[in-house]
Amino acid sequence: MVTSEPHTLQEGIEQAGHRLTYPRQAILDLVAQHPDGFTAEEVCAQLPQVGRATVYRTVKLLLDLGLVCKMTGPDGAPRYTLSVAGHHHHTLCVRCGAAADFQRCTVDLILQTLRAETAGVILGHRMEVYVLCPRCLEQEETTSSGSPT
Amino acid sequence: MVTSEPHTLQEGIEQAGHRLTYPRQAILDLVAQHPDGFTAEEVCAQLPQVGRATVYRTVKLLLDLGLVCKMTGPDGAPRYTLSVAGHHHHTLCVRCGAAADFQRCTVDLILQTLRAETAGVILGHRMEVYVLCPRCLEQEETTSSGSPT
DNA sequence: ACCGTGGTTGATACTCCGTCTCAATAATGC
DNA sequence: GCATTATTGAGACGGAGTATCAACCACGGT
Ligand SMILES: [Zn+2]
Ligand SMILES: [Zn+2]
Ligand SMILES: [Zn+2]
Ligand SMILES: [Zn+2]
């Protein structure tokens, strides 16, 4: 079992037969430091030495390799986060964007019902739960009671 | 019960105190003819006499009034469809874009679990089911068995 | 019917996000 | 070290939506 489940982004890239170049390494490092998720533009901003095209390409590569997940904010803004194994979805903080996984996907129940009702074929689904994360919630409360401008 | 539940887009617009102008009327008519859903650009294309800005503004207006729903395709492309009363979601054909409602949203079950687990606050959710609609499914089968190029 | 007010329009410029192009560059195998 | 090939990055490009702003039109008051 040499080339099984990659445990790091680097491994994933190399196992897929892609070169681990400097720009990629930089992006991977940055991404790994943001378990809460990130946007492509955030990466661009923090790595001015790396070209925008390369950032987008690398994110897409990670996406194709299943190493990161693509999420959609309330306004449709795309956001990415490190992927975990297995079927899962995310909660997304509407304020800071922090993402968290949740595995329990009882969507299957809904799909079963749908499958029985529709003559078409179900291919997949998307689900996102929008939250105010504990940290932002706390801030919100502090602000509203503290300094009522 | 004079100004209750609007039954047409026109009524909805007027009840909200907005003028029912010609451009709007044209957009509303077109939208009403596309129960399967539509994109803003489709409307633009079919109504060259109406400015793009107006199309986008009107769609946004309908959205704000809750008369249409905004969906997100697998690739993130926005699409709109006439709204129905009550909490619901949509199935979206990945091929032709046709949208259909489904009311049964057992997402609540998931949310209950999440609520118990998280210290944050759940504000909302998004869910879309991607399908190959009956019509497209049929075509697919016909094509693959009929002309194997 | 006329006028004034304010909502509405639409051409255009602009922003944002992401992709494409293509010559220069870096990694790899020999 | 050299050829081969993947990768890079500056900049052009494209699609989607918004901002601007002068012209316009619907409507209420007279
Ligand atoms: Zn937060
Ligand atoms: Zn699921
Ligand atoms: Zn279809
Ligand atoms: Zn729901």
Side-chain angles (χ1 to χ4, degrees):
Chain A
M1 49 196 286
V2 181
T3 56
S4 57
E5 277 288 303
H7 289 113
T8 65
L9 296 176
Q10 283 80 353
E11 281 176 33
I13 292 270
E14 289 183 324
Q15 281 179 22
H18 296 280
R19 293 178 185 170
L20 194 50
T21 62
Y22 263 101
R24 280 181 183 161
Q25 186 69 58
I27 296 169
L28 266 45
D29 284 350
L30 188 62
V31 164
Q33 286 168 26
H34 288 266
D36 273 0
F38 59 94
T39 65
E41 289 302 322
E42 276 168 21
V43 175
C44 287
Q46 295 188 43
L47 296 176
Q49 74 272 179
V50 177
R52 241 166 56 88
T54 299
V55 170
Y56 277 93
R57 273 190 293 242
T58 304
V59 170
K60 194 169 194 299
L61 179 60
L62 291 173
L63 205 54
D64 291 343
L65 295 177
L67 298 173
V68 304
C69 302
K70 181 176 187 174
M71 303 167 290
T72 303
D75 55 350
R79 200 173 167 80
Y80 305 89
T81 189
L82 293 175
S83 183
V84 298
H87 182 76
H88 67 284
H89 296 282
H90 305 91
T91 60
L92 257 172
C93 180
V94 299
R95 199 144 175 269
C96 68
D101 303 310
F102 69 90
Q103 313 276 353
R104 273 167 248 279
C105 175
T106 54
V107 170
D108 298 330
L109 293 176
I110 306 175
L111 299 189
Q112 278 175 27
T113 312
L114 274 178
R115 230 177 282 272
E117 284 177 0
T118 184
V121 180
I122 296 177
L123 299 176
H125 64 272
R126 172 205 299 274
M127 174 172 179
E128 264 116 17
V129 176
Y130 300 116
V131 305
L132 202 56
C133 76
R135 205 160 358 120
C136 289
L137 179 61
E138 196 181 341
Q139 249 185 57
E140 199 98 316
E141 284 165 351
T142 306
T143 307
S144 58
S145 62
S147 57
T149 307
Chain B
M1 46 198 289
V2 181
T3 56
S4 57
E5 276 289 303
H7 289 113
T8 65
L9 296 175
Q10 283 81 353
E11 282 177 34
I13 293 269
E14 289 182 324
Q15 282 180 23
H18 297 279
R19 293 179 184 168
L20 194 49
T21 62
Y22 263 100
R24 279 182 184 162
Q25 185 69 59
I27 296 169
L28 265 46
D29 285 348
L30 188 63
V31 165
Q33 287 168 26
H34 287 266
D36 273 359
F38 58 93
T39 65
E41 289 302 322
E42 275 168 22
V43 176
C44 287
Q46 294 188 44
L47 296 176
Q49 75 270 180
V50 177
R52 242 166 59 89
T54 300
V55 169
Y56 277 95
R57 271 190 295 242
T58 304
V59 169
K60 194 169 194 301
L61 178 61
L62 291 173
L63 205 55
D64 290 343
L65 295 177
L67 298 174
V68 303
C69 301
K70 181 177 187 174
M71 302 167 291
T72 303
D75 55 351
R79 198 173 170 80
Y80 305 88
T81 189
L82 294 175
S83 183
V84 298
H87 181 76
H88 67 283
H89 296 282
H90 304 91
T91 59
L92 256 172
C93 179
V94 299
R95 199 144 175 268
C96 69
D101 304 310
F102 69 90
Q103 313 278 353
R104 275 167 246 281
C105 175
T106 54
V107 171
D108 299 331
L109 292 176
I110 306 175
L111 300 188
Q112 278 175 27
T113 312
L114 274 178
R115 230 177 283 272
E117 285 176 358
T118 181
V121 179
I122 295 176
L123 300 176
H125 63 273
R126 170 205 300 273
M127 174 172 176
E128 263 116 16
V129 176
Y130 299 117
V131 304
L132 202 55
C133 76
R135 202 159 3 120
C136 289
L137 179 60
E138 197 182 339
Q139 252 185 56
E140 199 99 315
E141 284 165 353
T142 306
T143 308
S144 57
S145 60
S147 57
T149 308

